[in-house]
Amino acid sequence: MRILFLTRASPGPCCGGDQLRAYHQLRLLAPRHRLTLVCFRHAPVPPEGVAAIAALCERVVTVPLGGVAMATSLARGVLLSLPFQVSLYRHPRMRRVLGDLVAGKTFDLAHTQLVRIAPYVEGFPHLASWTSWTRCPSA
């Protein structure tokens, strides 16, 4: 199965919280599936993190997200009455990157790590999706 895996930050064995969980999900999926990871990049990822993820994924795409972009996203989110965490990670560059990826490849499933990233797959109704905080759809 070809899986588009979306996270708010680069997962890695050197991280904690949702990043660590995403790393282990990728690790368990990698032997049986073809994975494309798309994540925001807040800061440089340590070399051991890059190597660990590259070994698990067919492709890794990072989208830079600095302080100015986050502030702009927050301001837009306030105007649209979006939840804080959703507006914080709402960025047009990510939507463009995903649009290019989905147009160029066929994915069987999109997995979003946490609700703050879930809105990105709404623009692709043909793409089956689930978020790590929901139950996996029956096969």
Side-chain angles (χ1 to χ4, degrees), residues 65-94:
L65 184 64
V68 173
M70 291 178 91
T72 303
S73 294
L74 280 174
R76 271 187 258 144
V78 168
L79 295 173
L80 297 171
S81 300
L82 292 173
F84 175 77
Q85 286 292 325
V86 171
S87 60
L88 187 63
Y89 290 96
R90 188 172 189 263
H91 198 276
R93 187 179 300 165
M94 175 65 89

Side-chain angles (χ1 to χ4, degrees), residues 27-89:
R27 183 181 58 79
L28 293 170
L29 290 169
R32 295 181 310 272
H33 304 286
R34 295 170 66 189
L35 305 170
T36 297
L37 171 67
V38 181
C39 61
F40 284 111
R41 183 180 68 247
H42 303 280
V45 179
E48 64 274 10
V50 172
I53 296 304
L56 301 174
C57 299
E58 184 176 81
R59 185 170 181 195
V60 177
V61 180
T62 60
V63 177
L65 184 64
V68 173
M70 291 178 91
T72 303
S73 294
L74 280 174
R76 271 187 258 144
V78 168
L79 295 173
L80 297 171
S81 300
L82 292 173
F84 175 77
Q85 286 292 325
V86 171
S87 60
L88 187 63
Y89 290 96

Side-chain angles (χ1 to χ4, degrees), residues 84-138:
F84 175 77
Q85 286 292 325
V86 171
S87 60
L88 187 63
Y89 290 96
R90 188 172 189 263
H91 198 276
R93 187 179 300 165
M94 175 65 89
R95 192 159 300 283
R96 283 192 302 274
V97 165
L98 291 172
D100 292 345
L101 274 172
V102 170
K105 293 194 182 212
T106 303
F107 292 98
D108 300 303
L109 178 72
H111 170 85
T112 56
Q113 186 74 22
L114 304 178
V115 71
R116 63 192 77 159
I117 302 299
Y120 284 110
V121 296
E122 290 174 357
F124 309 106
H126 63 283
L127 189 60
S129 64
W130 70 282
T131 304
S132 62
W133 48 266
T134 62
R135 289 185 311 138
C136 181
S138 57

